[in-house]
Amino acid sequence: MKLKLRVLLMVFLVISFSGCTETNSEIEKVKSDKNDVLIGYGSKYVKKSENELWELTVKEYIESDLWNERDRYDAGHFLMVPMHYAFQSENTEMIELFQKHFGAFLKTGKNEIDISDDSQRLSILHYYYLISRYLILSENIDLSYEVKILNKELNQYLLKEINKIWVEIPAWQWDSPYFEEGMRERVLWKLENKEVDYSYYRAIIDEELFTMAIAADLYQLNSEDRMLLDIVNIAYKTFKSEGHFDESNRWLFQIGVWDDHPDYAYAGYLNKENIKKQSPITDTAMDSSHFHRFPLWVKSLEDAFLEKTKENEMFSRINKGIEKQLFEKVLVVPSKKRTVLQTNKLHGWYKWFV
């Protein structure tokens, strides 16, 4: 597991943070060799160790105030794999960077956050999920007294924020009045109303999925909290109702719910040539760039329930189904002409990315 995570980290760092290095040349090859990586720029290859790559990318990045409105969405994405790597490799210096960063967030950064702002909520939740994962990972290591206090404050802070959006802050809805009782009311409405004017009115959106995953992490730390229990139970109901296993045990979520959304009006075209009119498709699945978050969301939900319970086993099976879908439908076996083939819809439709 650690070897796989190391290779993943190296590829992730080079691709995600290539703009932070000394050159912007196109990366042609990344090769893992124990603790060293060969990074190819054109015909030249530079040997970098894991620590050197970390210094060039994550360390410089995480020292910034990433909770600001411009950066927090990207921070939640770019730092997730490196953070898991830091904890799983038990690298104290790397872990301390995250502790210092979140300490600064509590001291000053939280004052820049307004979870009630519809336009900011998704990016905030993206960053909050990074915090909740940090809290879970921290449970497996020895902590100083100061860090224990920090983590307790982070825990209490997230609890208050999740409570606000779950039952206090009115939740927006397409072409409709706000749900005055919050996100909880909106999710239940989507589950209870199968017949709607447009299918995407029922879409379980990233706001809701992030909230469920954060609540699942927090529930592992606050097992007596009734609000968190409510959220994870509704999450179980949501995934059971809206997920689908095919005959090969591949798994997809809310098949067809985006069929009539305007963004999908031309989804039937395989390229940009000869586009004359709308060409929607039916039973479409979520695009892979959004769906890539599901494995970790599902892992959070799986771990929120006791082992061998029906909830725990369902989420475990879902992640196995996601893995099958990814490797059998999304990542296509390379040919001589293409080095990387990927479809941008989870069912394998739409166009190629090369």
Side-chain angles (χ1 to χ4, degrees):
M1 177 62 72
K2 288 186 177 180
L3 177 59
K4 290 182 179 179
L5 189 60
R6 174 178 294 137
V7 174
L8 176 60
L9 175 75
M10 294 302 101
V11 176
F12 182 88
L13 291 180
V14 173
I15 294 175
S16 298
F17 294 98
S18 57
C20 299
T21 59
E22 297 177 356
T23 177
N24 290 321
S25 301
E26 181 179 356
I27 297 170
E28 292 186 349
K29 183 179 181 182
V30 177
K31 180 181 179 182
S32 176
D33 180 15
K34 294 184 179 179
N35 290 329
D36 294 325
V37 179
L38 293 177
I39 309 171
Y41 305 99
S43 60
K44 299 179 180 179
Y45 289 87
V46 181
K47 192 172 185 178
K48 297 289 185 183
S49 69
E50 292 175 8
N51 287 336
E52 286 176 314
L53 275 178
W54 186 278
E55 292 287 324
L56 289 170
T57 57
V58 177
K59 184 177 180 180
E60 179 179 350
Y61 186 60
I62 200 174
E63 289 176 347
S64 302
D65 296 343
L66 300 174
W67 50 77
N68 66 71
E69 186 174 357
R70 185 196 69 179
D71 294 330
R72 57 186 171 234
Y73 183 98
D74 289 339
H77 169 70
F78 287 136
L79 290 175
M80 190 63 80
V81 170
M83 183 174 70
H84 279 73
Y85 171 82
F87 278 91
Q88 291 192 26
S89 61
E90 300 177 349
N91 188 306
T92 302
E93 292 183 5
M94 293 179 180
I95 293 171
E96 286 177 351
L97 286 176
F98 288 94
Q99 294 168 345
K100 180 180 178 181
H101 177 81
F102 292 130
F105 166 75
L106 270 186
K107 185 176 181 180
T108 60
K110 67 180 182 180
N111 298 325
E112 300 180 30
I113 300 291
D114 182 7
I115 198 72
S116 66
D117 187 337
D118 291 345
S119 67
Q120 297 188 47
R121 189 171 303 124
L122 179 57
S123 65
I124 291 171
L125 288 169
H126 216 310
Y127 185 77
Y128 281 178
Y129 190 41
L130 186 71
I131 299 177
S132 73
R133 292 307 303 164
Y134 158 78
L135 292 175
I136 290 298
L137 294 170
S138 295
E139 288 293 291
N140 298 318
I141 64 171
D142 293 329
L143 302 173
S144 67
Y145 175 78
E146 291 76 15
V147 174
K148 288 180 180 178
I149 295 299
L150 165 67
N151 289 5
K152 183 178 180 179
E153 292 179 358
L154 286 169
N155 181 17
Q156 293 301 312
Y157 173 80
L158 288 185
L159 280 172
K160 292 178 181 178
E161 291 288 276
I162 294 302
N163 183 72
K164 287 179 186 177
I165 59 175
W166 189 241
V167 294
E168 294 181 5
I169 299 172
W172 66 271
Q173 172 67 0
W174 282 291
D175 305 323
S176 299
Y178 277 60
F179 287 93
E180 293 298 326
E181 296 180 12
M183 185 183 290
R184 182 182 194 275
E185 183 185 14
R186 184 176 65 188
V187 171
L188 292 177
W189 180 89
K190 292 176 180 180
L191 296 180
E192 293 165 0
N193 289 272
K194 305 295 184 182
E195 300 296 327
V196 290
D197 292 339
Y198 294 100
S199 59
Y200 65 88
Y201 286 177
R202 295 190 61 255
I204 304 298
I205 58 177
D206 285 351
E207 277 186 17
E208 294 154 346
L209 293 164
F210 268 119
T211 299
M212 292 174 182
I214 294 167
D217 285 343
L218 294 177
Y219 185 60
Q220 297 175 58
L221 308 173
N222 307 273
S223 59
E224 302 299 319
D225 191 288
R226 296 173 64 89
M227 176 201 64
L228 297 177
L229 177 60
D230 179 57
I231 298 175
V232 297
N233 281 336
I234 290 177
Y236 170 73
K237 181 179 179 180
T238 300
F239 277 73
K240 184 178 180 180
S241 168
E242 304 299 313
H244 172 74
F245 287 97
D246 67 10
E247 66 281 354
S248 298
N249 283 319
R250 294 185 292 258
W251 188 85
L252 289 172
F253 188 68
Q254 287 200 306
I255 297 173
V257 77
W258 296 104
D259 284 359
D260 53 14
H261 191 279
D263 288 354
Y264 290 71
Y266 298 88
Y269 289 99
L270 298 179
N271 54 58
K272 295 187 289 186
E273 298 177 2
N274 301 317
I275 296 179
K276 297 180 179 179
K277 61 180 181 179
Q278 294 185 0
S279 179
I281 56 179
T282 59
D283 293 336
T284 186
M286 185 181 293
D287 61 274
S288 53
S289 60
H290 282 83
F291 200 84
H292 84 277
R293 302 168 177 144
F294 266 78
L296 194 54
W297 285 340
V298 172
K299 179 60 176 172
S300 290
L301 289 161
E302 176 186 346
D303 291 343
F305 295 96
L306 294 176
E307 290 187 9
K308 306 301 181 182
T309 60
K310 66 180 188 298
E311 296 90 350
N312 173 270
E313 292 187 342
M314 184 193 77
F315 284 116
S316 176
R317 185 185 174 212
I318 285 173
N319 251 346
K320 292 182 176 68
I322 292 173
E323 181 180 0
K324 284 180 64 66
Q325 187 71 22
L326 175 66
F327 286 105
E328 295 177 10
K329 291 292 185 177
V330 179
L331 296 176
V332 183
V333 177
S335 67
K336 292 182 179 180
K337 294 182 179 180
R338 298 174 186 261
T339 56
V340 178
L341 294 179
Q342 178 187 348
T343 60
N344 71 339
K345 289 291 180 286
L346 257 291
H347 45 31
W349 296 350
Y350 208 30
K351 60 184 179 181
W352 298 108
F353 281 106
V354 182

